[in-house]
Amino acid sequence: MPQITGTTKLLGVIGNPIGHSLSPVIHNAAIEQLGLDYRYLAFPVAPANLAIALDGFAAIGLVGCSVTIPHKQTIIPLLAEITPLAQAVGAVNTVWNTPTGWHGTNTDVAGFISPLAAMGRDWSQTTVAVLGNGGAARAVVAGCHQLGCGEIHVFGRDAAKLAQFRSSWQDIQLTVNGDDIPMPVTVQTHLWDELSSLINKANLLLVNSTPIGMYPQIEASPISAEMIQKTGAKAIAYDLIYTPRPTKFLQLAKESGMMTIDGTEMLVQQGAVAFELWLQQSPPIEIMRQTLIQHLATTH
Ligand code: NAP
């Protein structure tokens, strides 16, 4: 890596806690590969200090940063501008410094879509079942709408939260397949036990956006082995979790003949989009991917 000098510029990630973040690993690998005079650091920022931190970052010329839990929503009123996509998702995960203040967007959506878009399919006949109705589920819904998926169903355990989730999409319009004309986002919500009625639909995309199965609860799966066996082999199982690799859910899905996608590619691709926004150059995605996979293999 180039030496840190008086001209070295700063990027980073803010969250609380932040020590577990894999973003420094991915971004510094890209910075090193391109020989850039930058460093990417993790900054723990308590909720009460968020506004002070942003002012301080602007004062010292920090170029941009990733934003993670618990700041993805609360940062929005502190920004001068956010993209319509971030507005729709209701969360910002990437900000950059401009002469008129901090601007923000959401790159989780592009990250989520990336491995699906790479398949080059027509998604209009696909039914999506999203497990969980938290922050990541919002990026999944926006992504599936952008892909043009036929139906989007979201499953949760709390009726009030589900109702709130559904109504939050009511007036939201987003483009589909890069078209110019935005289309209303249509989401159906269900309690968890209604999943069995959908599970054997043709062309199902089953997405786990809950933390069930995440390290250290590695023996847990959001849906049972019996239920996964009822899912058609043509279904795709997508787990946003990136450690362990694979999760129990993806292990069971693979045993049932389903195609499986884990959360590493989403993590890499959301970072790649952010990197390009900050540095106005294409990131070395393969280096970012390999560094992450190697890091996960040696540390988890
Ligand atoms: P979140 O906002 O806390 O949402 C979690 C959702 O899971 C909520 O709907 C919650 O239900 C549900 N849930 C949690 N435990 C459950 C249980 N035991 N049974 C049923 N439902 C349960 O979290 P998030 O930010 O959306 O993140 C979710 C997962 O996605 C995490 O594992 C995270 O690591 C992963 N993620 C990955 C990436 C990536 O780049 N690969 C990006 C973002 C997130 P209630 O609302 O009822 O509590």
Side-chain angles (χ1 to χ4, degrees):
M1 236 182 183
Q3 221 180 4
I4 295 180
T5 68
T7 60
T8 303
K9 294 193 187 66
L10 203 53
L11 294 163
V13 55
I14 54 171
N16 191 37
I18 199 62
H20 66 284
S21 175
L22 297 166
S23 294
V25 172
I26 300 172
H27 285 288
N28 284 313
I31 287 167
E32 182 173 11
Q33 174 71 14
L34 297 177
L36 302 175
D37 191 14
Y38 277 82
R39 286 295 190 280
Y40 182 107
L41 293 180
F43 300 106
V45 175
N49 291 333
L50 183 57
I52 303 169
L54 277 181
D55 284 349
F57 285 154
I60 62 163
L62 185 123
V63 173
C65 65
S66 312
V67 180
T68 190
I69 294 168
H71 304 312
K72 283 184 172 187
Q73 287 88 28
T74 49
I75 199 166
I76 292 175
L78 304 174
L79 304 177
E81 202 173 309
I82 68 169
T83 58
L85 182 62
Q87 192 84 52
V89 174
V92 160
N93 78 332
T94 303
V95 297
W96 61 98
N97 200 353
T98 80
T100 57
W102 290 98
H103 288 204
T105 191
N106 187 304
T107 69
D108 280 334
V109 180
F112 168 75
I113 291 177
S114 178
L116 298 171
M119 291 180 202
R121 292 192 188 189
D122 169 13
W123 296 93
S124 62
Q125 302 304 312
T126 297
T127 299
V128 188
V130 187
L131 311 176
N133 50 258
R138 301 193 63 82
V140 172
V141 166
C144 290
H145 173 83
Q146 287 194 335
L147 280 177
C149 293
E151 289 178 29
I152 304 174
H153 300 261
V154 172
F155 294 84
R157 58 183 172 178
D158 183 317
K161 282 187 187 172
L162 280 171
Q164 204 178 12
F165 188 95
R166 192 180 57 243
S167 69
S168 72
W169 290 98
Q170 246 159 29
D171 298 318
I172 305 285
Q173 303 213 352
L174 288 173
T175 56
V176 176
N177 284 327
D179 283 353
D180 291 338
I181 304 161
M183 303 285 289
V185 180
T186 309
V187 185
Q188 300 178 54
T189 53
H190 314 265
L191 282 169
W192 203 260
D193 55 12
E194 291 168 34
L195 183 61
S196 54
S197 62
L198 208 78
I199 206 78
N200 48 12
K201 273 218 166 197
N203 297 317
L204 185 69
L205 170 61
L206 192 52
V207 184
N208 178 31
S209 77
T210 76
I212 303 169
M214 201 157 89
Y215 187 84
Q217 268 105 36
I218 58 172
E219 283 308 317
S221 166
I223 54 176
S224 66
E226 294 71 38
M227 184 93 92
I228 291 175
Q229 272 159 17
K230 286 186 196 150
T231 310
K234 281 192 178 163
I236 300 171
Y238 191 151
D239 201 331
L240 302 197
I241 295 172
Y242 41 78
T243 178
R245 297 183 75 222
T247 55
K248 186 78 180 175
F249 168 53
L250 292 190
Q251 257 175 50
L252 294 168
K254 199 162 195 169
E255 282 162 22
S256 294
M258 294 163 68
M259 175 187 280
T260 60
I261 303 171
D262 69 29
T264 49
E265 194 60 14
M266 175 172 174
L267 188 62
V268 169
Q269 297 285 351
Q270 62 78 27
V273 176
F275 189 96
E276 190 151 4
L277 272 168
W278 297 323
L279 299 173
Q280 304 294 312
Q281 59 180 305
S282 302
I285 294 177
E286 188 53 27
I287 292 284
M288 296 166 94
R289 183 183 293 125
Q290 289 312 324
T291 306
L292 173 66
I293 289 170
Q294 210 172 355
H295 180 85
L296 287 172
T298 53
T299 56
H300 290 84

